Amino acid sequence: MLTLSCKQRQTTESDVAKQDMPSRVASESIKWSERMLISEMKRFPESWMLDFHTKPKWSYPNGLVLMAAKRVYDKTGNETYYNYIYDYPNTMVKPDGSILTYDLDKQNLDMLKSGDVLLYVYEKTKEERFLKAIELLRSQLNTQPRTSDGGFWHKKRYPHQMWLDGLFMAEPFYAQYTKTFSSGQEAVTAYNDIVHQFDLIQEHTKDSKTGLLYHGWDESKTQEWANKTTGTSPNFWSRAMGWYGMALVDVLDVLPEDHPGRKRLIGYLNTFADALLGVQDDKTGLWYQVLDQGDKEGNYLEATGSAMFVYTFAKGANKGYLPASYKTVALKAYNGILQNLISEDKDGIISLNQCCAVAGLGGNPYRDGSYNYYVNEPIRANDPKGTGAFILASLELDK
């Protein structure tokens, strides 16, 4: 009788599962959530390939798509999906718990997002290397540079800066780690710190006129992109607000019901949602790359931010954080995605189009946060920051 090791068995099951993947995805029998996941697995047969990687890399889009895949697996029980999720940490985490391509010294909040996947697979497998990797990522928060009022810098190489992106990258991992491993005063301190990050974003990036949130804030006000009075970047970028909305609804899943900051976070979510209603495209239900300038030349209806808003609104309504009317708003926008941004090939594989590939602030070459900067960043299909959000949105709407 042939006996396989755990790793050999995992690989064998994964290979068989891939062979069993349907060549035609039938829209009439498979929901959009599962259909998009299957399409992603066709495009990226190894889960480390997500975000168009050509070699294994520890990166945040993998974490977003794979945690969406976890939700599909929970609904379907299809082991193909679990194997796809497991293959990423199985590839990336060494026996000693170190993580391929991860560099703690960079103090990059983006690198914490795939920690969500580690927390999940450790819960399932209890593999010691995954626990060591989790502790490694958690240790980053102990040394992460902060603003004078306690906000995490987005990265060490972006000094004195908080970005909306960072809330989604760090806080759900921070919260889930705390729920899983911390207790007593340690847990209280951590939950307070998590809520504090949202408090600071509201204080420093919210525009008093529109309620929208600027992409970034530079406490030092020395960056070329920073307003010399407020320190904020000059524009409202769709995906930045998308990251922030998803961070709110995901952290609320974990934050204790009796935590005094919970009511504040729900309040932030409601003002966030109200502001977005004011800039939603009436015809399609979608949102523009630069949110408040839809009538300006070069702007376009952007897929990743739109999908993130659908997820945030649908989940917020489903959980009772937002009024039930936001479920209708989410459905209108979701239908807008299906009608305007989804295409299908001859095999039934679907694509999400009009995704901003990447955008940021500062760096080299320098990104100035101007209108022209945002609308001229590359646009591509099937950016995982959009497909992952689309899967999550579909699940919340049972589509």
Side-chain angles (χ1 to χ4, degrees):
M1 177 177 169
L2 177 64
T3 302
L4 299 177
S5 70
C6 178
K7 185 174 181 181
Q8 288 172 319
R9 184 165 61 253
Q10 187 73 45
T11 301
T12 302
E13 289 172 353
S14 181
D15 290 345
V16 169
K18 287 170 186 172
Q19 292 170 8
D20 289 343
M21 291 282 287
S23 60
R24 168 76 191 175
V25 183
S27 59
E28 63 271 14
S29 61
I30 298 177
K31 290 186 176 180
W32 288 104
S33 54
E34 192 171 6
R35 197 172 175 196
M36 181 59 83
L37 177 57
I38 290 172
S39 298
E40 285 289 85
M41 292 171 71
K42 288 282 190 178
R43 282 187 282 269
F44 305 111
E46 304 294 339
S47 49
W48 59 259
M49 295 176 176
L50 287 160
D51 209 21
F52 306 91
H53 295 313
T54 57
K55 58 185 177 180
K57 181 181 180 181
W58 189 251
S59 187
Y60 66 92
N62 306 73
L64 170 57
V65 175
L66 295 177
M67 290 310 289
K70 180 259 184 193
R71 295 272 310 277
V72 178
Y73 171 64
D74 288 344
K75 276 195 172 285
T76 64
N78 187 332
E79 290 296 320
T80 308
Y81 306 144
Y82 175 74
N83 291 333
Y84 190 71
I85 298 164
Y86 177 88
D87 281 348
Y88 185 57
N90 186 45
T91 299
M92 301 304 298
V93 179
K94 300 177 186 177
D96 64 357
S98 60
I99 303 170
L100 288 173
T101 77
Y102 170 70
D103 184 351
L104 174 61
D105 290 340
K106 292 183 176 179
Q107 300 288 161
N108 181 350
L109 290 184
D110 290 343
M111 296 302 103
L112 300 182
K113 187 68 235 168
S114 285
D116 299 350
V117 183
L118 288 175
L119 287 163
Y120 172 61
V121 296
Y122 175 68
E123 179 187 15
K124 295 272 287 184
T125 68
K126 300 302 181 185
E127 289 187 48
E128 188 69 17
R129 61 180 173 138
F130 295 149
L131 178 59
K132 291 177 179 177
I134 289 166
E135 296 293 352
L136 173 63
L137 294 178
R138 175 61 182 83
S139 75
Q140 179 181 319
L141 293 171
N142 298 333
T143 55
Q144 190 76 17
R146 295 178 184 244
T147 61
S148 63
D149 50 8
F152 291 129
W153 292 7
H154 190 62
K155 302 178 186 180
K156 185 165 71 174
R157 69 187 182 100
Y158 298 142
H160 313 293
Q161 298 168 41
M162 293 186 75
W163 296 9
L164 298 184
D165 317 34
L167 278 290
F168 183 70
M169 303 305 163
E171 308 317 321
F173 169 77
Y174 194 1
Q176 189 60 54
Y177 177 95
T178 301
K179 181 179 180 180
T180 305
F181 297 108
S182 302
S183 59
Q185 187 56 48
E186 179 181 83
V188 171
T189 299
Y191 286 131
N192 289 345
D193 193 22
I194 291 163
V195 171
H196 188 53
Q197 304 304 312
F198 289 94
D199 291 338
L200 292 174
I201 285 291
Q202 292 291 135
E203 177 183 348
H204 295 305
T205 72
K206 183 181 175 183
D207 176 54
S208 59
K209 293 180 181 179
T210 63
L212 299 170
L213 304 173
Y214 291 103
H215 185 178
W217 169 67
D218 171 21
E219 181 180 29
S220 71
K221 302 172 186 174
T222 59
Q223 288 294 314
E224 291 176 31
W225 53 256
N227 182 292
K228 299 312 174 189
T229 302
T230 64
T232 58
S233 57
N235 282 290
F236 307 114
W237 179 38
S238 178
R239 187 157 74 230
M241 280 197 68
W243 289 133
Y244 184 67
M246 294 201 299
L248 279 166
V249 294
D250 287 357
V251 165
L252 283 167
D253 279 347
V254 184
L255 191 69
E257 293 284 342
D258 61 353
H259 192 280
R262 188 175 180 85
K263 186 176 181 180
R264 291 205 303 281
L265 295 195
I266 293 172
Y268 297 156
L269 177 62
N270 277 265
T271 58
F272 167 95
D274 288 347
L276 285 169
L277 281 186
V279 291
Q280 186 181 25
D281 180 57
D282 289 336
K283 182 178 179 181
T284 64
L286 301 173
W287 285 268
Y288 282 88
Q289 165 77 338
V290 179
L291 285 165
D292 63 335
Q293 300 183 56
D295 57 351
K296 195 168 179 180
E297 184 178 355
N299 212 351
Y300 61 96
L301 296 168
E302 201 278 325
T304 69
S306 294
M308 290 174 179
F309 298 147
V310 174
Y311 170 62
T312 300
F313 288 175
K315 185 173 183 178
N318 286 340
K319 295 276 189 174
Y321 310 142
L322 291 173
S325 58
Y326 276 96
K327 191 75 170 282
T328 303
V329 176
L331 278 167
K332 178 180 179 180
Y334 187 79
N335 288 330
I337 292 173
L338 295 182
Q339 292 164 14
N340 296 280
L341 303 177
I342 292 286
S343 58
E344 176 183 346
D345 73 10
K346 60 183 177 59
D347 294 321
I349 299 300
I350 59 172
S351 288
L352 180 67
N353 304 301
Q354 287 180 214
C355 301
C356 172
V358 66
L361 296 166
N364 185 21
Y366 197 83
R367 300 167 296 181
D368 64 3
S370 65
Y371 174 84
N372 285 335
Y373 162 70
Y374 284 113
V375 300
N376 285 295
E377 278 291 76
I379 301 170
R380 66 183 179 184
N382 302 318
D383 189 287
K385 300 178 282 292
T387 57
F390 177 82
I391 293 168
L392 291 170
S394 301
L395 289 163
E396 287 297 329
L397 295 171
D398 195 28
K399 297 290 188 181

